[in-house]
Amino acid sequence: MFTGGSQFAFVGVLAGGGTPVSGAATALLLGTRNTLYGLRLAPLLAWTGVRRLGAAQLLIDESSAMSVTRDTTARARTGFLVTGWSVFVLWNLFTLVGALAGQALGDPRTYGLDAAVGGAFLALLWPRLAEPRNRVIAVLAAAVALGVAPSVAVGVPVLAAGGVALLAGVLSRSPR
């Protein structure tokens, strides 16, 4: 599955003593958030057929973020494709480098790389926080994730935070 969060969750479950089946289930559940991205991006990118199937392979946090902020379909497609392909190529290239030379590089925590994922996600989220409503949702989602983290399996806090955002979206569109 080409989604960093799912891959990290899988490895985290295995490192924590979980089985490969539970790791794969956690990764799959975490990857389902991309379905929500697809619902938002399908009308924006307006691809059909084989192109739509191909685009689904690049549907990740980064490519979604770089397309929803564009003002035309052409720019949304460009942002989506450039970001999706760049992340795909670089992610897989450096995964290979890590697999081959990981021991020589040492512990990534000594370089502060363990904070890179959180920093990258915040950079993607930042432009969306211009609206006060989105800031409130982000704070509530973070609070829920932090609140459940000590008592649930790896990956569930992210799903819980996503549930907060989904609920906020549903509630804000319901008739009053």
Side-chain angles (χ1 to χ4, degrees):
M1 179 181 295
F2 173 58
T3 164
S6 294
Q7 291 172 354
F8 282 126
F10 179 79
V11 170
V13 168
L14 293 182
T19 67
V21 171
S22 65
T26 301
L28 184 63
L29 281 173
L30 191 56
T32 60
R33 75 186 187 285
N34 294 357
T35 304
L36 300 174
Y37 299 157
L39 293 173
R40 170 67 176 95
L41 290 179
L44 177 65
L45 299 175
W47 278 315
T48 59
V50 176
R51 286 188 176 142
R52 189 172 188 165
L53 287 174
Q57 306 312 307
L58 298 176
L59 188 61
I60 55 175
D61 299 337
E62 296 83 359
S63 61
S64 298
M66 294 306 291
S67 54
V68 298
T69 57
R70 305 298 175 237
D71 56 356
T72 67
T73 298
R75 287 183 178 158
R77 287 177 174 181
T78 300
F80 181 86
L81 290 173
V82 169
T83 304
W85 278 112
S86 297
V87 172
F88 180 82
V89 169
L90 294 172
W91 183 271
N92 287 296
L93 174 66
F94 283 98
T95 297
L96 178 62
V97 169
L100 298 176
Q103 294 298 331
L105 296 173
D107 187 349
R109 290 175 291 192
T110 61
Y111 305 115
L113 295 178
D114 52 332
V117 173
F121 185 74
L122 183 58
L124 292 171
L125 183 65
W126 195 260
R128 308 295 280 178
L129 298 178
E131 296 178 39
R133 174 184 167 272
N134 292 350
R135 288 194 296 270
V136 169
I137 293 169
V139 168
L140 289 174
V144 167
L146 290 171
V148 301
S151 60
V152 298
V154 174
V156 174
V158 174
L159 292 173
V164 169
L166 183 61
L167 180 63
V170 168
L171 292 176
S172 68
R173 285 171 175 58
S174 59
R176 296 172 198 239

